[in-house]
Amino acid sequence: MRGMLSVPLWLVASIVLATAPNARAQGLPNVIEGFFPTQLAAGQSNVLHLGIPGRGEVTGVEINPAAGITVKDIKRGDIREGSLFWDVTIDVASDATPGNRTIVAVNPNGRTAPRPITVYAKVPTISNPRIVSAAVNQPVVQIQFAMTETPNEIGDAPSVWFFLGCGGEPESGVVKGKFASGVVTAAIPNPRTQLKPFAPPPNNRCDLEFRASDSKMADSNMLKTTVDFK
């Protein structure tokens, strides 16, 4: 379907292999594979989902320059597509200077190379998710949600990044939405159209998590809702 792309999570959100549960003595590789959201918002408590390949524990995260930044918590996140995410809570002061910084993950045995991360003064906000249609025999799930930003840099076709878990390996991808009068509509592939060979059929009740990006690719907050296929 035109305007729709469903791809592996490592390509979409730049999140891939994470650590194994019993690897506390190991160092970290030289690279952070990816993280999302892809920025920090001033005046907010931000939760980054951080992906690092290998078997090392993440015991610290550094943001430089550090002015206005406080890393408050690091914990293991969800396992998706066989990968373990690190959930890193970072508070950014309302007067933190917008612009480019770097992020590094560390543990007692090593540290990753720095990756760029941006602090935005303002980012979009999404709310009021609604499932418009979710028919078992249709190729897509139609969703709708409100999206606001000041100043408005949403554009006509914001990107909608999603995870759809229906009991097996989660479907993940990005689609182009349509923005009009404060509302975004988007079509997400029905997981029955994405089945791998010999995979069991998905459940009719699924967990949907998504965020949206404006025209400058600043990410919104995440929303969660339930999809009931009928």
Side-chain angles (χ1 to χ4, degrees):
M1 180 172 293
R2 187 176 179 182
M4 178 164 55
L5 177 64
S6 180
V7 295
L9 177 58
W10 63 270
L11 242 142
V12 175
S14 304
I15 300 295
V16 291
L17 300 176
T19 69
N22 56 355
R24 298 183 182 277
Q26 304 224 4
L28 295 175
N30 190 46
V31 63
I32 296 175
E33 285 283 348
F35 52 89
F36 70 94
T38 55
Q39 84 283 312
L40 298 171
Q44 295 186 22
S45 182
N46 303 257
V47 178
L48 294 186
H49 305 281
L50 192 70
I52 300 174
R55 298 173 59 85
E57 289 281 325
V58 175
T59 58
V61 171
E62 299 173 358
I63 307 290
N64 289 297
I69 305 289
T70 303
V71 178
K72 296 196 69 175
D73 187 43
I74 302 169
K75 64 182 180 181
R76 292 174 178 271
D78 297 335
I79 295 176
R80 293 172 176 161
E81 297 188 349
S83 298
L84 174 64
F85 297 169
W86 294 96
D87 295 339
V88 183
T89 303
I90 302 174
D91 287 353
V92 183
S94 57
D95 59 354
T97 303
N100 295 328
R101 307 197 185 200
T102 59
I103 182 170
V104 173
V106 300
N107 77 6
N109 302 296
R111 58 194 294 115
T112 65
R115 280 198 58 165
I117 188 170
T118 301
V119 173
Y120 284 110
K122 301 290 183 182
V123 295
T125 300
I126 60 175
S127 60
N128 301 326
R130 186 168 77 90
I131 306 301
V132 178
S133 66
V136 171
N137 60 352
Q138 294 300 309
V140 297
V141 179
Q142 298 284 348
I143 68 170
Q144 178 179 294
F145 55 92
M147 186 170 183
T148 60
E149 186 176 32
T150 304
N152 188 343
E153 298 182 90
I154 295 173
D156 296 330
S159 296
V160 180
W161 310 80
F162 67 90
F163 304 94
L164 185 60
C166 299
E169 183 175 313
E171 176 189 349
S172 59
V174 57
V175 297
K176 282 294 186 180
K178 294 181 179 180
F179 178 74
S181 302
V183 174
V184 177
T185 55
I188 293 174
N190 186 325
R192 286 165 177 76
T193 68
Q194 310 294 309
L195 285 178
K196 295 180 179 179
F198 309 110
N203 299 332
N204 285 341
R205 169 161 282 201
C206 304
D207 295 321
L208 173 64
E209 182 176 356
F210 65 93
R211 71 188 194 276
S213 301
D214 66 11
S215 60
K216 65 180 185 295
M217 295 307 293
D219 287 343
S220 72
N221 55 299
M222 300 285 289
L223 290 180
K224 295 182 180 180
T225 191
T226 300
V227 180
D228 287 311
F229 286 93
K230 298 178 180 179

